[in-house]
Amino acid sequence: MGRKTELLLLVVVLVLLLLSLLPFSSLSLNQDFCIADLAAIYTPAGYPCKPPAFVTANDFYYDGLAGSFGPPIKPSNVALGSATVAEFPGVNGLAISAARMDIAAGGAVPLHSHPGGTELVYVLEGSLVSGFVSATLNKVYAKTLRKGDLMVLPQGQLHFQYSVGNTTAVIISTFNSANPGAQVMDYALFANDLPAEVVSKVTNLDELQVVKLKALFGGSG
Protein backbone atom coordinates (compact mmCIF):
# COMPACT_ATOMS: atom_id res chain seq x y z
CA MET A 1 0.00 0.00 0.00
CA GLY A 2 1.47 3.34 -1.07
CA ARG A 3 1.92 6.40 1.07
CA LYS A 4 -0.80 8.31 -0.82
CA THR A 5 -3.26 5.45 -0.36
CA GLU A 6 -2.57 5.34 3.39
CA LEU A 7 -3.15 9.08 3.68
CA LEU A 8 -6.39 8.79 1.69
CA LEU A 9 -7.66 6.01 3.96
CA LEU A 10 -6.76 8.08 7.03
CA VAL A 11 -8.74 11.04 5.67
CA VAL A 12 -11.73 8.78 4.95
CA VAL A 13 -11.65 7.37 8.49
CA LEU A 14 -11.49 10.87 10.01
CA VAL A 15 -14.39 12.04 7.86
CA LEU A 16 -16.48 9.02 8.91
CA LEU A 17 -15.72 9.71 12.57
CA LEU A 18 -16.82 13.31 12.17
CA LEU A 19 -19.98 12.25 10.35
CA SER A 20 -20.79 9.87 13.19
CA LEU A 21 -21.12 12.89 15.48
CA LEU A 22 -23.52 14.76 13.22
CA PRO A 23 -26.73 13.07 14.40
CA PHE A 24 -26.04 14.58 17.81
CA SER A 25 -24.06 17.78 17.31
CA SER A 26 -25.90 19.28 14.34
CA LEU A 27 -29.48 18.30 15.14
CA SER A 28 -30.34 21.82 16.23
CA LEU A 29 -29.10 23.06 12.86
CA ASN A 30 -30.86 20.71 10.45
CA GLN A 31 -34.19 20.02 12.12
CA ASP A 32 -36.76 21.91 14.16
CA PHE A 33 -35.86 20.46 17.57
CA CYS A 34 -34.25 17.56 19.38
CA ILE A 35 -36.08 16.55 22.56
CA ALA A 36 -33.54 14.77 24.75
CA ASP A 37 -33.89 11.03 25.17
CA LEU A 38 -32.83 10.94 28.82
CA ALA A 39 -32.77 7.14 28.79
CA ALA A 40 -29.82 7.28 26.37
CA ILE A 41 -26.20 8.05 27.20
CA TYR A 42 -25.24 11.72 27.49
CA THR A 43 -22.40 12.68 25.12
CA PRO A 44 -20.26 15.83 24.76
CA ALA A 45 -22.68 16.82 22.00
CA GLY A 46 -25.73 16.29 24.20
CA TYR A 47 -28.44 13.65 24.29
CA PRO A 48 -29.72 11.88 21.17
CA CYS A 49 -33.23 12.80 20.06
CA LYS A 50 -36.47 11.35 21.24
CA PRO A 51 -38.31 9.85 18.22
CA PRO A 52 -40.51 12.62 16.71
CA ALA A 53 -43.56 10.36 16.80
CA PHE A 54 -43.42 10.40 20.59
CA VAL A 55 -42.91 14.17 21.01
CA THR A 56 -45.81 16.10 22.57
CA ALA A 57 -46.45 19.68 23.66
CA ASN A 58 -45.42 18.68 27.17
CA ASP A 59 -41.84 18.23 25.95
CA PHE A 60 -41.64 21.99 25.37
CA TYR A 61 -43.16 22.87 28.73
CA TYR A 62 -41.68 22.90 32.24
CA ASP A 63 -43.23 24.12 35.47
CA GLY A 64 -40.39 23.17 37.79
CA LEU A 65 -39.43 26.77 38.57
CA ALA A 66 -42.91 27.84 39.63
CA GLY A 67 -43.47 25.86 42.82
CA SER A 68 -41.65 25.02 46.01
CA PHE A 69 -38.22 23.39 45.75
CA GLY A 70 -38.26 22.03 49.27
CA PRO A 71 -36.41 23.41 52.30
CA PRO A 72 -33.44 25.75 51.75
CA ILE A 73 -30.05 24.09 51.42
CA LYS A 74 -28.01 24.35 54.60
CA PRO A 75 -25.90 26.22 55.54
CA SER A 76 -26.52 28.56 52.58
CA ASN A 77 -30.25 29.14 53.18
CA VAL A 78 -30.88 28.95 49.44
CA ALA A 79 -33.58 26.96 47.64
CA LEU A 80 -32.63 25.98 44.09
CA GLY A 81 -34.69 24.90 41.10
CA SER A 82 -33.04 23.95 37.80
CA ALA A 83 -34.26 23.77 34.21
CA THR A 84 -31.23 22.28 32.48
CA VAL A 85 -31.51 19.46 29.96
CA ALA A 86 -31.61 16.86 32.75
CA GLU A 87 -34.86 18.37 34.08
CA PHE A 88 -36.20 19.97 30.88
CA PRO A 89 -35.43 17.74 27.85
CA GLY A 90 -36.88 20.33 25.47
CA VAL A 91 -33.78 22.54 25.72
CA ASN A 92 -31.53 19.81 24.30
CA GLY A 93 -29.34 21.16 21.49
CA LEU A 94 -30.67 24.72 21.85
CA ALA A 95 -27.84 26.19 23.98
CA ILE A 96 -30.20 27.54 26.60
CA SER A 97 -31.35 26.64 30.12
CA ALA A 98 -32.48 28.31 33.33
CA ALA A 99 -32.50 28.14 37.11
CA ARG A 100 -34.27 29.82 39.99
CA MET A 101 -32.84 30.61 43.40
CA ASP A 102 -34.78 31.77 46.45
CA ILE A 103 -32.25 33.28 48.84
CA ALA A 104 -33.67 33.70 52.34
CA ALA A 105 -32.84 36.79 54.36
CA GLY A 106 -29.24 36.41 55.45
CA GLY A 107 -28.67 33.59 52.97
CA ALA A 108 -25.80 33.31 50.51
CA VAL A 109 -24.96 31.37 47.36
CA PRO A 110 -21.38 30.13 47.90
CA LEU A 111 -18.57 30.70 45.44
CA HIS A 112 -19.11 28.49 42.41
CA SER A 113 -18.57 28.43 38.67
CA HIS A 114 -20.34 27.17 35.55
CA PRO A 115 -17.68 25.67 33.27
CA GLY A 116 -20.15 25.21 30.41
CA GLY A 117 -21.97 28.53 30.15
CA THR A 118 -22.38 32.23 30.90
CA GLU A 119 -25.11 33.16 33.40
CA LEU A 120 -27.53 36.09 33.11
CA VAL A 121 -29.18 36.93 36.44
CA TYR A 122 -32.60 38.64 36.63
CA VAL A 123 -34.05 39.71 40.00
CA LEU A 124 -37.73 38.89 40.48
CA GLU A 125 -38.05 39.94 44.12
CA GLY A 126 -35.94 41.38 46.93
CA SER A 127 -32.39 42.62 46.82
CA LEU A 128 -29.00 40.96 46.84
CA VAL A 129 -25.34 41.44 46.05
CA SER A 130 -24.10 39.52 43.02
CA GLY A 131 -20.52 39.37 41.84
CA PHE A 132 -17.70 37.38 40.31
CA VAL A 133 -13.93 37.11 40.65
CA SER A 134 -11.89 37.58 37.47
CA ALA A 135 -9.73 34.50 36.84
CA THR A 136 -6.88 36.51 35.35
CA LEU A 137 -6.92 39.62 37.56
CA ASN A 138 -8.37 38.21 40.82
CA LYS A 139 -10.50 41.35 40.84
CA VAL A 140 -14.02 41.30 42.24
CA TYR A 141 -16.86 42.82 40.22
CA ALA A 142 -19.96 43.09 42.43
CA LYS A 143 -23.22 45.06 42.38
CA THR A 144 -26.28 45.39 44.58
CA LEU A 145 -29.25 44.20 42.53
CA ARG A 146 -32.91 44.97 43.05
CA LYS A 147 -36.17 43.91 41.44
CA GLY A 148 -35.89 44.16 37.67
CA ASP A 149 -32.08 44.35 37.57
CA LEU A 150 -29.84 42.19 35.38
CA MET A 151 -26.23 41.10 35.78
CA VAL A 152 -24.08 38.92 33.54
CA LEU A 153 -21.59 36.43 35.04
CA PRO A 154 -19.04 35.30 32.43
CA GLN A 155 -18.50 31.62 31.77
CA GLY A 156 -16.13 29.80 34.12
CA GLN A 157 -15.67 32.68 36.58
CA LEU A 158 -16.15 32.08 40.31
CA HIS A 159 -19.23 34.01 41.41
CA PHE A 160 -21.61 34.45 44.35
CA GLN A 161 -24.81 36.05 45.58
CA TYR A 162 -26.02 36.99 49.04
CA SER A 163 -29.19 38.59 50.34
CA VAL A 164 -29.01 42.11 51.72
CA GLY A 165 -32.68 42.66 52.54
CA ASN A 166 -35.13 41.50 55.17
CA THR A 167 -37.12 39.37 52.75
CA THR A 168 -36.33 36.46 50.44
CA ALA A 169 -34.56 37.46 47.23
CA VAL A 170 -35.74 35.56 44.16
CA ILE A 171 -33.66 35.41 40.99
CA ILE A 172 -34.03 33.70 37.63
CA SER A 173 -30.81 32.79 35.86
CA THR A 174 -30.53 31.88 32.19
CA PHE A 175 -27.54 30.19 30.57
CA ASN A 176 -26.23 29.94 27.01
CA SER A 177 -25.94 26.18 27.41
CA ALA A 178 -28.41 23.34 27.92
CA ASN A 179 -26.02 21.95 30.53
CA PRO A 180 -23.82 24.70 32.04
CA GLY A 181 -22.60 22.51 34.89
CA ALA A 182 -21.72 23.81 38.34
CA GLN A 183 -18.80 23.38 40.70
CA VAL A 184 -19.25 24.76 44.21
CA MET A 185 -15.89 25.64 45.73
CA ASP A 186 -16.81 24.56 49.27
CA TYR A 187 -17.93 21.12 48.11
CA ALA A 188 -14.95 20.75 45.79
CA LEU A 189 -12.62 21.41 48.72
CA PHE A 190 -14.39 19.72 51.62
CA ALA A 191 -16.87 17.13 50.27
CA ASN A 192 -14.11 15.00 48.78
CA ASP A 193 -12.04 12.11 50.14
CA LEU A 194 -8.67 13.86 50.10
CA PRO A 195 -7.02 13.56 53.53
CA ALA A 196 -7.43 16.69 55.65
CA GLU A 197 -3.66 16.99 55.79
CA VAL A 198 -3.46 17.23 51.98
CA VAL A 199 -6.31 19.74 51.77
CA SER A 200 -4.52 21.81 54.41
CA LYS A 201 -1.30 21.76 52.39
CA VAL A 202 -2.88 22.78 49.10
CA THR A 203 -5.09 25.51 50.60
CA ASN A 204 -2.95 26.83 53.49
CA LEU A 205 -5.94 26.32 55.80
CA ASP A 206 -5.45 25.06 59.32
CA GLU A 207 -5.83 21.27 59.36
CA LEU A 208 -8.24 21.29 62.31
CA GLN A 209 -10.44 23.76 60.43
CA VAL A 210 -10.34 21.50 57.38
CA VAL A 211 -11.50 18.57 59.52
CA LYS A 212 -14.44 20.66 60.78
CA LEU A 213 -15.36 21.74 57.25
CA LYS A 214 -15.15 18.17 55.94
CA ALA A 215 -17.58 17.13 58.68
CA LEU A 216 -19.91 20.00 57.70
CA PHE A 217 -19.91 19.20 53.98
CA GLY A 218 -19.85 15.42 54.26
CA GLY A 219 -16.27 14.79 53.16
CA SER A 220 -13.93 12.14 54.44
CA GLY A 221 -10.21 11.65 54.93
Side-chain angles (χ1 to χ4, degrees), residues 168-182:
T168 297
V170 181
I171 65 175
I172 291 289
S173 294
T174 57
F175 304 90
N176 63 340
S177 169
N179 187 21

Side-chain angles (χ1 to χ4, degrees), residues 98-116:
R100 170 178 166 170
M101 285 188 291
D102 292 21
I103 309 172
V109 180
L111 277 169
H112 66 285
S113 65
H114 301 292

Side-chain angles (χ1 to χ4, degrees), residues 88-197:
F88 188 9
V91 303
N92 189 48
L94 300 180
I96 191 171
S97 60
R100 170 178 166 170
M101 285 188 291
D102 292 21
I103 309 172
V109 180
L111 277 169
H112 66 285
S113 65
H114 301 292
T118 292
E119 179 177 359
L120 184 65
V121 175
Y122 176 75
V123 183
L124 285 176
E125 298 291 345
S127 57
L128 67 148
V129 171
S130 179
F132 70 92
V133 184
S134 166
T136 54
L137 302 175
N138 286 322
K139 181 177 179 179
V140 178
Y141 300 89
K143 288 287 293 184
T144 299
L145 307 181
R146 297 176 177 82
K147 184 176 180 178
D149 289 346
L150 286 167
M151 186 171 187
V152 66
L153 304 169
Q155 179 174 340
Q157 307 299 295
L158 284 169
H159 56 279
F160 59 89
Q161 286 91 20
Y162 61 88
S163 172
V164 292
N166 296 319
T167 60
T168 297
V170 181
I171 65 175
I172 291 289
S173 294
T174 57
F175 304 90
N176 63 340
S177 169
N179 187 21
Q183 185 172 36
V184 180
M185 191 174 73
D186 287 343
Y187 286 95
L189 289 173
F190 308 117
N192 58 54
D193 57 358
L194 270 179
E197 178 185 1

Side-chain angles (χ1 to χ4, degrees), residues 9-10 18 21 87 92 128 135 171 180 184:
L9 286 174
L10 178 60
L18 290 173
L21 297 175
E87 300 84 23
N92 189 48
L128 67 148
I171 65 175
V184 180

Side-chain angles (χ1 to χ4, degrees), residues 38-70:
L38 297 182
I41 297 174
Y42 183 79
T43 75
Y47 285 98
C49 303
K50 182 178 179 179
F54 297 102
V55 173
T56 72
N58 285 334
D59 290 308
F60 304 96
Y61 167 80
Y62 183 69
D63 64 357
L65 302 187
S68 172
F69 317 127

